Amino acid sequence: MDLRFENVSKRFGERLAVEIPQLTIRRGEFFTFVGPSGCGKSTTLNLIAGLEEPSSGTLQLGDRRLTHLPPHQRDVAFVFQSYALYPHRTVFGNLSFPLELAGLSRESIRERVRQAAELLGLDPLLEKYPRQLSGGERQRVAVGRAIVRQPQLFLFDEPLSNLDAPLRAQMRKELRHLHQRLGTTFIYVTHDQEEALSLSDRIAVMRKGRIQQCGLPRELYERPVNAFVASFFGSPSINLLPAALAAGPDGIAARIGELQLSLAGLDAKILEAGVVTLGIRPEHVRVSREPLPERWPAEISLVELHGGQTILELQLGGFSLTAVERAEARYREGEKVWVVIPEERVHLFDPSTGNRLGADSPGPTS
Ligand code: ATP
C-alpha cells in the first residue's frame, strides 16, 4: 500500500521541523530520507510511526488514515540506531516479545521466530543474551524483532551508524537482500549520502525540514536540482567554481579565473544569468600528461592515494580543482599536467539561489 503525505507539517513551538506538501512512498519501495543533522529526517519518521503528531496535514497508508492513530495500530515496525534489546531476554525472547504482546499462539510465535531467525542467520544465537552478541549481531536481532511482526512498513532510523565501516558495508548488503526477499516497504533515514545512494530505490534529500529533491539515486547524482543537492552527494564532492558567461565566436564561453571554457551547446538565454556557479564532479575532470591545445595547464599540488584511485588537487589559472584518477597513472605532487573539463559534464547553478540553471543546460545524462 502506498504511503501518502498531504500538506504535512510539524512545528516545535515556533520552529518548523518538517514541511512536506505532497509525497507518495510506493508500496514495496526502499525509500530513504537523507540530509544533514537537524534537517527533519527523524521527525518525519516519527510522524509515520505515530511517535509525533503532525501540526497540520494527513498521512494515509492505502485507504487507511494514519494521522491520530496510536503507534501500535499503524502496522509499522521501527528499527532504531540504538538496538533497544531487552538485556534479560535471550535472542529468542527478544524476537518473541512483540508477538507475545500481540497475543499470538505459542506455535505461531515459534514459527515466526524460526522464519525470521533463518532469514537473518540468527539460528545459532537464539539462546544467547544481548551482552554476548557483537554490534552487528545485536542490530540483526533488532531487525528480526521488526520482521516477526510482519508489518506493512519498516522504518529504520540510522540503524547502521553504531557499526564500524566493514560491518556497515556488510549490513547494507544484508538489508538490501532482506528488502528483496520481503518485498515490504522500507523507509530509511540516514545522514550518509553513500548509504542512501547504495541502498535506495528512491531518495528524498531534505534540508531545513523541506524536501529539496526526490528521485532515483542516479537522477539526484547526475541531475541535481540545486547546488546543495549537487554537493551533498559524491566524495570527494563536486567542484563549484564562480564563472562569468559571455558570448564568444563559437557560442557561449565561461571565464573561470584566468581561463576560458567553451560551452557551445548552451542556449543563448543562459547569458542573462551573467555570473554562475559552475559545477564539475572530480571524476569528470580529465587529467593528462599530453599537451593538447584545448587543454588547460595545471600543477598538481596534492596527491591522496585511496586504494585504486588517487585524489588530485590541481592549481590552474587562479583557482583549484579536485580530480579523481586511477592510481596506476602515478601522478606526483609538483607535476605539470593538462586538464580538460568536458562540456557535457558541466552543471550550472544560480549563485544566489543555488538553483540549477537552464532547462536544457548540459547536465550529464549517462
Ligand atoms: P539528526 O540527524 O541530527 O538526528 P534529523 O535530520 O533527524 O537530525 P530531527 O531530529 O528530525 O532532525 O530535527 C529537526 C528539527 O526539529 C531540529 O531543528 C531539531 O532541533 C528540532 N526538534 C526535533 N525534535 C524536537 C523536540 N522534541 N522539541 C523541539 N525541537 C525538536
Side-chain angles (χ1 to χ4, degrees):
M1 252 161 264
D2 291 355
L3 175 70
R4 285 206 315 279
F5 288 67
E6 291 281 347
N7 297 316
V8 170
S9 74
K10 176 67 184 172
R11 290 179 178 278
F12 294 104
E14 286 297 290
R15 192 186 190 98
L16 182 72
V18 172
E19 187 169 48
I20 302 180
Q22 203 120 48
L23 173 69
T24 301
I25 297 177
R26 297 179 204 121
R27 179 183 172 185
E29 258 189 323
F30 198 130
F31 189 94
T32 300
F33 291 98
V34 71
S37 183
C39 71
K41 314 178 288 287
S42 299
T43 303
T44 304
L45 217 55
N46 291 342
L47 288 169
I48 302 171
L51 302 176
E52 297 282 3
E53 284 282 301
S55 309
S56 67
T58 57
L59 274 161
Q60 187 119 356
L61 184 60
D63 46 20
R64 225 158 38 99
R65 185 177 267 223
L66 291 188
T67 334
H68 310 308
L69 273 186
H72 65 275
Q73 287 178 14
R74 294 192 177 204
D75 211 2
V76 304
F78 213 133
V79 180
F80 297 95
Q81 173 181 348
S82 59
Y83 319 118
L85 300 179
Y86 304 107
H88 303 301
R89 286 178 158 250
T90 60
V91 169
F92 184 93
N94 268 280
L95 294 180
S96 63
F97 189 60
L99 305 178
E100 289 165 26
L101 282 184
L104 263 69
S105 71
R106 283 169 75 99
E107 289 82 78
S108 331
I109 291 179
R110 211 167 296 134
E111 180 52 21
R112 286 213 200 169
V113 170
R114 191 193 62 73
Q115 283 174 358
E118 192 184 306
L119 208 55
L120 294 162
L122 291 172
D123 287 313
L125 307 177
L126 286 173
E127 298 313 315
K128 294 199 170 178
Y129 286 89
R131 64 175 180 280
Q132 300 171 296
L133 305 179
S134 70
E137 289 167 343
R138 282 181 207 171
Q139 191 52 279
R140 225 174 270 142
V141 177
V143 173
R145 204 172 45 182
I147 288 179
V148 291
R149 294 175 48 198
Q150 303 181 345
Q152 288 197 34
L153 290 181
F154 284 95
L155 308 179
F156 297 91
D157 194 350
E158 306 246 10
L160 308 185
S161 53
N162 284 344
L163 308 178
D164 59 27
L167 196 52
R168 223 167 35 229
Q170 186 195 328
M171 287 298 288
R172 263 190 221 166
K173 281 199 208 145
E174 289 187 17
L175 279 177
R176 230 9 245 175
H177 282 306
L178 188 66
H179 177 252
Q180 286 167 353
R181 268 178 272 162
L182 293 175
T184 314
T185 314
F186 278 28
I187 305 179
Y188 196 93
V189 155
T190 180
H191 64 273
D192 182 335
Q193 52 95 18
E194 206 182 305
E195 200 165 289
L197 288 177
S198 64
L199 278 173
S200 323
D201 294 323
R202 274 198 312 151
I203 300 174
V205 188
M206 295 186 77
R207 182 193 198 190
K208 296 182 182 166
R210 297 197 168 92
I211 294 178
Q212 303 286 299
Q213 187 170 4
C214 180
L216 304 175
R218 242 175 107 88
E219 286 170 0
L220 302 192
Y221 192 75
E222 295 178 353
R223 233 187 137 68
V225 295
N226 58 32
F228 172 80
V229 175
S231 41
F232 189 79
F233 292 105
S235 174
S237 59
I238 189 166
N239 293 288
L240 292 175
L241 306 161
L245 300 183
D250 312 316
I252 293 169
R255 172 163 284 277
I256 313 166
E258 297 151 19
L259 301 172
Q260 191 110 332
L261 174 69
S262 162
L263 298 173
L266 284 182
D267 192 302
K269 268 206 314 228
I270 197 93
L271 282 172
E272 290 164 18
V275 175
V276 297
T277 300
L278 184 144
I280 179 83
R281 294 212 178 269
E283 68 271 28
H284 295 149
V285 173
R286 287 200 218 121
V287 180
S288 146
R289 291 184 169 110
E290 304 296 315
L292 293 176
E294 72 273 26
R295 302 183 176 209
W296 290 342
E299 184 175 327
I300 299 177
S301 51
L302 216 60
V303 176
E304 249 181 58
L305 182 64
H306 287 254
Q309 292 185 320
T310 38
I311 299 175
L312 307 178
E313 190 186 82
L314 302 156
Q315 301 304 324
L316 292 90
F319 62 100
S320 52
L321 267 184
T322 305
V324 175
E325 284 293 316
R326 289 164 64 84
E328 292 97 87
R330 296 189 186 279
Y331 285 110
R332 295 179 316 276
E333 287 170 6
E335 196 177 342
K336 302 270 199 282
V337 289
W338 298 83
V339 167
V340 175
I341 293 188
E343 177 182 349
E344 70 279 8
R345 297 295 195 178
V346 162
H347 306 260
L348 297 180
F349 302 105
D350 181 317
S352 50
T353 61
N355 291 337
R356 187 181 192 88
L357 286 170
D360 29 42
S361 74
T365 50
S366 59

